[in-house]
Amino acid sequence: EGDLTLRVYCSVAVDPHAVAREADLAPYEDIRKRYPDDPLFKLGALSFIVDGTLPARSAALLEPYAGSEETGDVLVDPDELNRAVRLADAAGWQIITHATGDRAVRMALTAYAHASRSNRLPSKGRRHRLEHLALVDTADLPRLGPLGVTASLRPSLVPSDEIRFEGLSK
């Protein structure tokens, strides 16, 4: 009816384990063709999840959580993520990687760097993004700019979360 006044940019969640070769992206290409760029709706990104959340202590950290030996887990093997990101990047997708902890962020940046080395720069450039970013090791901060990665940070914590985060080592 023409009443919608904002544009919707959509991403599709993809299991990086399921992207082992170029043909594995075919179903997503079909979706992208079904929703081409138009004034109201665009499907332009694939979304991979690398780790969990800080409150649940499932974010993947470089150092253990305070009072624990646990560092959280990544949900995908680094080689599988590298391959999936490289293939999606080569196909022209924007890639949104959900990476909360500093170990997951490092892993995502390494996957973006691998894609950048392996693939030609698309005519529109790269607009990959780290989503739900909470912790970044200072050694990894300088990697964001040269890779053209946007960091979508988590807003400041609400007071009830601060209590749960007190136990973090960082």
Side-chain angles (χ1 to χ4, degrees):
E1 295 175 8
D3 292 338
L4 187 61
T5 59
L6 70 116
R7 183 174 181 183
V8 176
Y9 184 81
C10 183
S11 67
V12 176
V14 177
D15 179 357
H17 301 95
V19 183
R21 57 193 204 292
E22 191 175 326
D24 296 331
L25 292 172
Y28 307 106
E29 292 297 334
D30 291 343
I31 296 170
R32 184 161 54 176
K33 288 176 187 169
R34 184 174 172 197
Y35 298 102
D37 192 7
D38 72 29
L40 298 179
F41 183 85
K42 178 181 181 174
L43 172 71
L46 298 180
S47 177
F48 300 125
I49 298 175
V50 177
D51 68 348
T53 66
L54 287 169
R57 291 185 172 219
S58 58
L61 305 182
L62 294 168
E63 303 275 332
Y65 287 90
S68 173
E69 304 272 326
E70 297 296 318
T71 57
D73 291 319
V74 291
L75 303 174
V76 61
D77 177 79
D79 290 335
E80 287 179 312
L81 183 65
N82 286 351
R83 182 176 44 252
V85 168
R86 177 181 50 82
L87 289 169
D89 177 81
W93 289 95
Q94 177 189 20
I95 302 157
I96 299 171
T97 306
H98 295 257
T100 303
D102 50 6
R103 184 163 46 112
V105 168
R106 180 170 289 170
M107 194 171 130
L109 289 172
T110 298
Y112 291 150
H114 174 67
S116 180
R117 285 188 309 271
S118 301
N119 301 327
R120 279 192 246 178
L121 182 66
S123 60
K124 294 180 182 178
R126 289 186 173 90
R127 295 182 32 224
H128 302 322
R129 187 168 85 211
L130 292 169
E131 191 69 30
H132 304 302
L133 182 70
L135 298 174
V136 183
D137 190 80
T138 55
D140 290 321
L141 284 172
R143 298 176 73 193
L144 287 131
L147 290 171
V149 173
T150 300
S152 179
L153 305 174
R154 179 181 173 176
S156 62
L157 306 173
V158 294
S160 63
D161 281 345
E162 289 175 15
I163 295 166
R164 287 188 271 170
F165 286 117
E166 260 179 40
L168 285 176
S169 62
K170 297 186 178 206

